[in-house]
Amino acid sequence: MRQLRLGKDAMDRDWADPELDLDGVAARAGYSRYHFLRAFKEAYGETPGQYLTHRRIERAEEMLRGADLSVTEICNLVGFSSLGTFSARFKARTGLTPSEYRREHVGRGAALIPGCYAMLWAGGFPSATLKKRPEGRAAYGDGQDTGTDQGRAEP
């Protein structure tokens, strides 16, 4: 269980990193990707990809309620590389699109944080000089779960 927590802690710490993938998290826990996937689901009731997606959606909810950023900016800040995937996963989790969620929840507290401050706090967008993902591989959290253990652990 201690090793699984190492992988879970890595996802909790690096949730915004679009480069976070199953191989890297499993390696941090000392497991092969497939063994980690099975053990994590058995221990926590969801796959690592589902867990990471939930963490990212929770952070997006906070940003939608409190920061004056566009949905696209929030999508990138929470680690999704595709706006369509982000919107679909957000709606599946909350029942609302990100824009609907913002309309429903803004104004229920303090004023929105200006986008420039939120971006500064979050570290801004990754530079355009980041290395491309090998073989066009999808970022962890961007792939669809096919219901099999083929490496992606998404809902």
Side-chain angles (χ1 to χ4, degrees):
M1 188 66 164
R2 180 182 176 281
Q3 288 177 287
L4 285 176
R5 275 186 285 211
L6 290 173
K8 188 173 183 263
D9 289 346
M11 288 187 283
D12 287 340
R13 182 181 53 250
D14 300 330
W15 56 266
D17 182 3
E19 298 291 321
L20 190 63
D21 65 358
L22 182 58
D23 290 327
V25 173
R28 290 178 193 174
Y31 284 93
S32 73
R33 68 185 295 152
Y34 300 113
H35 184 67
F36 179 73
L37 182 73
R38 286 187 296 272
F40 191 95
K41 183 164 183 164
E42 185 178 317
Y44 296 108
E46 61 186 349
T47 65
Q50 290 167 334
Y51 177 78
L52 183 59
T53 297
H54 294 164
R55 297 294 275 163
R56 288 175 171 173
I57 297 299
E58 288 170 0
R59 296 303 189 262
E61 288 178 72
E62 291 172 15
M63 289 182 182
L64 286 164
R65 286 191 308 263
D68 188 21
L69 295 168
S70 72
V71 172
T72 303
E73 290 169 328
I74 291 171
C75 164
N76 289 310
L77 286 173
V78 298
F80 284 93
S81 56
S82 164
L83 182 59
T85 300
F86 168 68
S87 295
R89 300 271 164 78
F90 191 93
K91 185 167 184 170
R93 177 94 171 139
T94 65
L96 302 169
T97 66
S99 297
E100 292 168 342
Y101 184 89
R102 173 175 272 160
R103 272 193 301 276
E104 195 168 297
H105 291 89
V106 165
R108 293 188 177 179
L112 292 178
I113 299 167
C116 58
Y117 289 112
M119 291 291 291
L120 180 64
W121 174 81
F125 290 109
S127 70
T129 61
L130 286 178
K131 292 185 268 184
K132 295 250 182 202
R133 206 174 291 287
E135 303 168 19
R137 200 172 84 204
Y140 192 51
D142 284 354
Q144 292 291 333
D145 185 16
T146 60
T148 64
D149 282 343
Q150 295 181 359
R152 290 207 182 102
E154 282 302 305

